[in-house]
Amino acid sequence: MGLIIKNGNIITSKNEYIADILVEDEKIVAIGKDLDIKGHEVVDANDKFVFPGGVDEHVHYNSFNSLGYETSHAALAGGTTTVGDFVVQPVGVGLKDSIINYKKDYLDEKATPDYVLHGIIMDPSEETVADLVNMPSVGVSSVKLFMAYKGMPYYVSDEWIFKALCTGKKAGVTIMVHAENADIIDVLTKKLIAEGKTEPKYFGDSRPVLSEAEATSRAIYMAEIANAPLFVVHVTNQKTAEIIRDAYNKGLSTYGETCTHYLMLNDENLAKPNFEGAKYVCNPPLRPQSDVNFMWEAINKGWLTSVGSDHCAIMGGFAEGKRKGINDFSKIPPGSPGVQDRLNMIWTYGVETGKITRQKFVEVCCTTPAKVCGIYPQKGEIAVGTDADIVVFDPNYRGTVKLEDSLSSSDYCTYDGFEIKGIAEKVYLRGKLVAQNGKFVGELGKGQQVMSKPYAYCYDKFKE
Amino acid sequence: MGLIIKNGNIITSKNEYIADILVEDEKIVAIGKDLDIKGHEVVDANDKFVFPGGVDEHVHYNSFNSLGYETSHAALAGGTTTVGDFVVQPVGVGLKDSIINYKKDYLDEKATPDYVLHGIIMDPSEETVADLVNMPSVGVSSVKLFMAYKGMPYYVSDEWIFKALCTGKKAGVTIMVHAENADIIDVLTKKLIAEGKTEPKYFGDSRPVLSEAEATSRAIYMAEIANAPLFVVHVTNQKTAEIIRDAYNKGLSTYGETCTHYLMLNDENLAKPNFEGAKYVCNPPLRPQSDVNFMWEAINKGWLTSVGSDHCAIMGGFAEGKRKGINDFSKIPPGSPGVQDRLNMIWTYGVETGKITRQKFVEVCCTTPAKVCGIYPQKGEIAVGTDADIVVFDPNYRGTVKLEDSLSSSDYCTYDGFEIKGIAEKVYLRGKLVAQNGKFVGELGKGQQVMSKPYAYCYDKFKE
Amino acid sequence: MGLIIKNGNIITSKNEYIADILVEDEKIVAIGKDLDIKGHEVVDANDKFVFPGGVDEHVHYNSFNSLGYETSHAALAGGTTTVGDFVVQPVGVGLKDSIINYKKDYLDEKATPDYVLHGIIMDPSEETVADLVNMPSVGVSSVKLFMAYKGMPYYVSDEWIFKALCTGKKAGVTIMVHAENADIIDVLTKKLIAEGKTEPKYFGDSRPVLSEAEATSRAIYMAEIANAPLFVVHVTNQKTAEIIRDAYNKGLSTYGETCTHYLMLNDENLAKPNFEGAKYVCNPPLRPQSDVNFMWEAINKGWLTSVGSDHCAIMGGFAEGKRKGINDFSKIPPGSPGVQDRLNMIWTYGVETGKITRQKFVEVCCTTPAKVCGIYPQKGEIAVGTDADIVVFDPNYRGTVKLEDSLSSSDYCTYDGFEIKGIAEKVYLRGKLVAQNGKFVGELGKGQQVMSKPYAYCYDKFKE
Amino acid sequence: MGLIIKNGNIITSKNEYIADILVEDEKIVAIGKDLDIKGHEVVDANDKFVFPGGVDEHVHYNSFNSLGYETSHAALAGGTTTVGDFVVQPVGVGLKDSIINYKKDYLDEKATPDYVLHGIIMDPSEETVADLVNMPSVGVSSVKLFMAYKGMPYYVSDEWIFKALCTGKKAGVTIMVHAENADIIDVLTKKLIAEGKTEPKYFGDSRPVLSEAEATSRAIYMAEIANAPLFVVHVTNQKTAEIIRDAYNKGLSTYGETCTHYLMLNDENLAKPNFEGAKYVCNPPLRPQSDVNFMWEAINKGWLTSVGSDHCAIMGGFAEGKRKGINDFSKIPPGSPGVQDRLNMIWTYGVETGKITRQKFVEVCCTTPAKVCGIYPQKGEIAVGTDADIVVFDPNYRGTVKLEDSLSSSDYCTYDGFEIKGIAEKVYLRGKLVAQNGKFVGELGKGQQVMSKPYAYCYDKFKE
């Protein structure tokens, strides 16, 4: 038995039109006028928008200090049907094996949305780099390296980034970087702490815009020498976005994403009293409002490709987790929950304010993330043959983000109190209804891995 | 009775997938797997590409020295189902009236493809400029002005361009400019002719890249002061494309197209012996190969939006028409036929060479031109509800452009002898088969006007 | 009998050091320690600065509505020993003849400072342009053209600017442009007046920054095609200065000056009540403070070469002259007196505030203007062999600009009430004391023409 | 008894004029016409140019593998009267002490030209960085750090560069960087050697332009965060020079020099057969001719401040020293002699070819180097009060660089066989004749330290 979503205003990244969508066997099998098949469930989407299930290319579960997949249904409640999760390589474990182990330990029968996996190099070595070419065999075609975090095992020097770029390219694996200059941050952090400037509001001062711009610029130089594509995660500011744009315009295959919080929040959040600022500590830090404004322009103009949530619900939440940094901002575990609110925020504060069109919303929240992750058009598109991941969206809903509605198991909500306009009235994952009006109504642990194809989006315009 | 195009590989500007297309009443009414309706004609598109009928935003019929709509079926033979024609305002006639008259005189029951109309200001005055706001009522939302052609009645000074920008904006009418500096061209032309340099090869010297770049830059300054969008037609070179790109990046609503010949031919064509160079005289002139290469990059990166043909089949052809300039290159009527070959050229020399993807081909030849013309998604898209303008394309065909296959009634063919890969096996206009394997098989004079909506593409990112 | 200026701190555009200067026969004949020659007059310059007499490359006398050379001793009172005056070509008079006539009519035995002459094309024609090559024979190597002023006889279209650039180059004559887009200004002016916005404060709105930037950009394009150097007079704002800088960096021989008032005053002056704003009406208009700040950076970094006064004391002054525009800002005669205050303003508000060094002061007020005018090193330098135009400057003086001290015969003073630090204690013109502590003490009408050498500064880096 | 140099054409960085120079007590005491003092030695400089003794801001003696001060009279033979030498800090020795020791060990009574000293941090630590503020007390106001050379003790990580910038600024000490990315070079070098590409011609491939551009960009970011000036030594290529220029234009106090060999030689020298290429191995490597051309433009336009020789005569010369790298280009000791030929090369191939003016020659070879080193106007200027370091230059001499004329004690000559036009006919160091027609005629070991003043040239436009 199938499903027919009738008369919805279908939004794609390029177009919109009213039609019916016919779903059978987890796939969209037809789109048309007056599709009527006996015995199929019919959902009336009249006056509703219908768009592809969200693809959040940047989430963290079961890693560092974050909570795990038992909370991953939060994504579906917010309209996101696929998450791109970063798999941490334990020191001493092969890069490919880290994926196999992680899947067994944390994902099988535990993940609720569908997922695509990215690797993270935490133990840089010749063996690890060589293993990059084996990643597509386990469905992974993107691997992140950390330029920040001096003195940590997962700090990756230029040597390994350069080698990873050279090797990744041989197998179509996209190298992603967390781009901040570790040395500058280390010097500034120690100086601030030594001066007694320990509160969250100094966190931003310890990681200036220029330290992000510098590391981004450096990674691009290395990509240019290696003649390899590059993806810069969580870009926060104008300078850095311009560096990526200008490199792309010059002919390099250089791309970057931003995240929900860099579009919604600014550095004033870090200055909230009573240690409340700690809730908003994430890496890189929130920036001044002028940068926030530029981030909207950057996604609108296509200078940044997409919007991830960088979801990371810290174990112990604010009360215990964040509290570790009560006397030293550098000890605050960075990260905050966001996977559930991403679509709501971008729609309400982007589309409803006129900053971006509905097409652009679909592009940056669904379609391009799927392309970046190498899972398009299976995910991120409304077309015949794609997975029936569908959001029926009621634009007339009016409400507010509340902690009590959050499924992320944190004791605070990053966007608490923000008004929202519109809601994912019905969310389908491979044709199954999994959420309704912000509530999860599906079955836990039914998420599947989506195999990422190598030579994905960042390789598109790439010519040897 | 309807039509089902089965199992084609459907290409859109963003995606591709295999499905059936169901056409009824001139529209696409469904896209799906296994669409089978008794009594409908079935066309097997297995192993074929299926994409939207081409939209050629830039053609000239019945104006200046060009042939008329009796030759317009050439467009359909080449897979282009909609043309954007420029309507010349006769001196002394109102701008809106010029459209009404033109339609009556030249289009009704004469045009074979569908058409959308642009105005051209030939008689700049307060009345003409004021009439801009009435253009949408006759289905026109874009009007071109000539910055070139010193001493001609249709030369438009900065005063009128600036006023047109200010007024057009009030009604969502897009101002288009032919951007070349009339004075510089005039001085250089007279100097060259005085020096006895009268052959076609000097035509390029008389209209240097910098005269185009200058006028483009100037138009953008005026658009910025007027806070209005701007569309630059037939951009030929890197410098000018970069000016448009940089203005856009800076935040202005500035766009430009290029044309088939600036992607396919270079200035060496102008130097062909025996006055053959005259065939390739068009405004602005063909440029060096380095600019040709940049034009491909410009459409690939999105710095220019689209590819028009600037089709203009000169009355009298080469033998009599072009011959007028045998002793003076400046008297050669500019223009050459191109509407029939546009899709073939861009596919063969763009897609087949790997310069652009199939998606980009559809974007620059079909989808974005429709957006620029204000007729999207009715035209330029394969989706439920759009006009059933469909090309079934056989990528395995191999052939050569030949004058004998040309329907443009010229005695020469701009791309004569160029190899082509792939052919529009079947072309449907509003569901009717009008061409097959490069031959016109439809009925003449059945083209309809497509009403252009104001506030079209160039206004998209426009904020007052 | 000669003159010895003893123990002054000599400032050049590159250096400073304490030494004596020996003057004989109008020239500096030695610089050294302990120069003592019996019978020579000795001036003690201990604790004083000694620098070259100012060269003001941009003044207007006896032209348009300006007062004449009977007021030119004002320059000397302010430390400026040489002025660069613009000679207006009467319609119907040859360009070279206009210089000969002007000299006879207005200069011989009337000018008090030394002077170098620039031409102005007011009657563009083939004859006028051809006459450019004859200008060096009458000591003129720079000629200005007006891009602004639509409808006036001296409006010069692109045709003539381009031709002037081509021809001027043959004889090493520098083309200077007043760069504002005449059409844009005309449209905006009429619109503002029609809306009843007639007060001086709307003058700035009628001539926006972008109209200056556009014309500058256009002139540079023409210079690039002509492969000729270009000098842009009275640059007022960041955008325009950046255009000049970027063109220079790209390899073009493009230069520009700014003027005292663009460094000292901003657009708020135009908004002064009781028509007082009219005093500050000059072309191009005063700009916002951000542009004023940038002008200081531009001279400090060398993006603009020099600082002229654009001195123009309107006949009838404020009471009768400026009053002509009481009901229409566009009828206010543009210009204001400034030749007397230039050095005081740049020293007090540049050197004393730390914005520029003493070397830079000499460079932009004395040395480079002399180079631009083709009269270096005869003027603008303290070295053996140069004209003994010397300022002995007391940096400890404190005072205020007062109308009663002005020698420009105007009824208002542009910088009235501005504090000044330092004063030209003694000013020597060719070895003769002509001013003391701001008072003229010389003889009227003793100024001489300085013959300008062709292929001057703007040709320096010029390569055919 | 003094010295009078009569009737020479004196060239300064801004001007030229004919006059006599009077020297007494090691200083210039007067410049003038007809200076005649009984008993003074008179040198006829009629038809000769007279300019300041050269200042070579970048030489290496007694460090790494270089020969020592016993060869330093080579500088004087070539017209360079002051050298700026880099003093290596031995590991475990304080930075200030390293200067004191070096002076005692290698300079006192051994140096023949005058010298100014730069420090080099070879043992980065908190103590070393803290010692920066003590450097002016021993006459040193510039300290270099190496970003290249991974794995060597003198490799300096971002941490120490950033700290050095922060601390140096407190005392007006200029931080200089050798900017190449150590990691990239290390990876590429090992890869090339592993592939058997061991010859000198692969040396350039191991240190690409982008590794220099990257490190330069990174150093500038750190200087911007530290709000400190920066000087980049031995810039070799267009990209890097543009980065420095653009940063300066943006408002940063960022400067760079180039060196003689980057103006005279290109990467083809590295490919010379029979291991001859090793002679031209220096860091960074020689670049393609297009970069060489840009270096001339960069000094002409002022984008790079000056030209040093980076003189480094390797112990053992070509036969034994360079030979160490016969099987591995990375083991070739980098460096080549150049102090003797610098002025000849820049004059002959810059001034005589019309690439630069005589003024620019003096600026980049004498005046600005002295400013950069903090020893202006004592050195690098012809003016009353400066040290009487004077070159009387015969522009009519024609000759060839020959090894037999070299005083650098090397077995090869970098510019062997290059034609030269003009020669330093007489060279005076503090009024003493020390060289004549390319031969050293003075006394060895009479050079003196010139104390460098802090807050030198790079701090000029610096505002906290």
Side-chain angles (χ1 to χ4, degrees), chain B residues 8 51 66 71 78 90 107 109 115 124 138 148 199 219 233-234 248 301 328 350 385-387 423 434:
Chain B
F51 52 75
S66 76
T71 67
L107 285 156
E109 301 184 32
Y115 54 88
V138 289
E199 296 155 62
V233 296
H234 49 47
Y248 177 85
K301 293 265 180 68
D328 181 345
T386 68
D387 279 4
I423 197 163
V434 290

Side-chain angles (χ1 to χ4, degrees), chain B residues 393-411:
Chain B
F393 191 82
D394 175 6
N396 296 316
Y397 175 86
R398 293 294 177 271
T400 302
V401 175
K402 290 181 195 150
L403 178 57
E404 67 205 60
D405 296 331
S406 168
L407 301 177
S408 292
S409 295
S410 192
D411 59 356

Side-chain angles (χ1 to χ4, degrees), chain A residues 303-340:
Chain A
W303 301 333
L304 296 175
T305 57
S306 42
V307 179
S309 70
D310 202 358
H311 175 88
C312 186
I314 298 299
M315 275 190 278
F318 177 62
E320 295 177 32
K322 294 282 187 179
R323 187 69 52 178
K324 289 171 191 162
I326 185 74
N327 295 317
D328 180 346
F329 65 74
S330 73
K331 297 205 164 62
I332 301 169
S336 56
V339 73
Q340 190 172 349

Side-chain angles (χ1 to χ4, degrees), chain D residues 288-437:
Chain D
Q289 186 60 33
S290 60
D291 281 316
V292 174
N293 297 342
F294 194 86
M295 289 298 99
W296 282 107
E297 188 176 0
I299 60 168
N300 198 29
K301 293 265 180 67
W303 301 333
L304 296 175
T305 57
S306 43
V307 179
S309 70
D310 201 358
H311 176 88
C312 185
I314 297 300
M315 275 191 277
F318 177 63
E320 293 177 33
K322 293 284 187 177
R323 187 68 52 176
K324 289 172 192 161
I326 185 75
N327 295 316
D328 181 345
F329 65 73
S330 72
K331 298 204 163 62
I332 301 169
S336 56
V339 73
Q340 189 172 349
D341 304 309
R342 187 178 63 116
L343 294 184
N344 276 336
M345 292 298 110
I346 305 307
W347 182 277
T348 303
Y349 296 92
V351 175
E352 288 284 343
T353 62
K355 284 198 184 79
I356 59 172
T357 61
R358 293 189 286 265
Q359 278 67 40
K360 182 59 73 173
F361 167 84
V362 171
E363 179 185 325
V364 299
C365 292
C366 313
T367 309
T368 308
K371 293 194 164 195
V372 167
C373 290
I375 57 175
Y376 182 88
Q378 183 184 348
K379 300 294 188 184
E381 185 64 275
I382 297 273
V384 173
T386 68
D387 278 5
D389 301 342
I390 301 171
V391 174
V392 178
F393 191 82
D394 176 6
N396 296 316
Y397 175 85
R398 294 296 177 269
T400 304
V401 175
K402 290 181 195 150
L403 178 57
E404 67 206 60
D405 295 331
S406 169
L407 301 177
S408 292
S409 296
S410 193
D411 59 356
Y412 74 98
C413 184
T414 312
Y415 305 99
D416 199 28
F418 275 77
E419 277 185 57
I420 54 175
K421 299 183 175 179
I423 197 163
E425 193 179 274
K426 288 194 171 62
V427 181
Y428 296 90
L429 173 63
R430 284 177 276 109
K432 287 222 180 57
L433 183 71
V434 289
Q436 235 171 337
N437 294 314

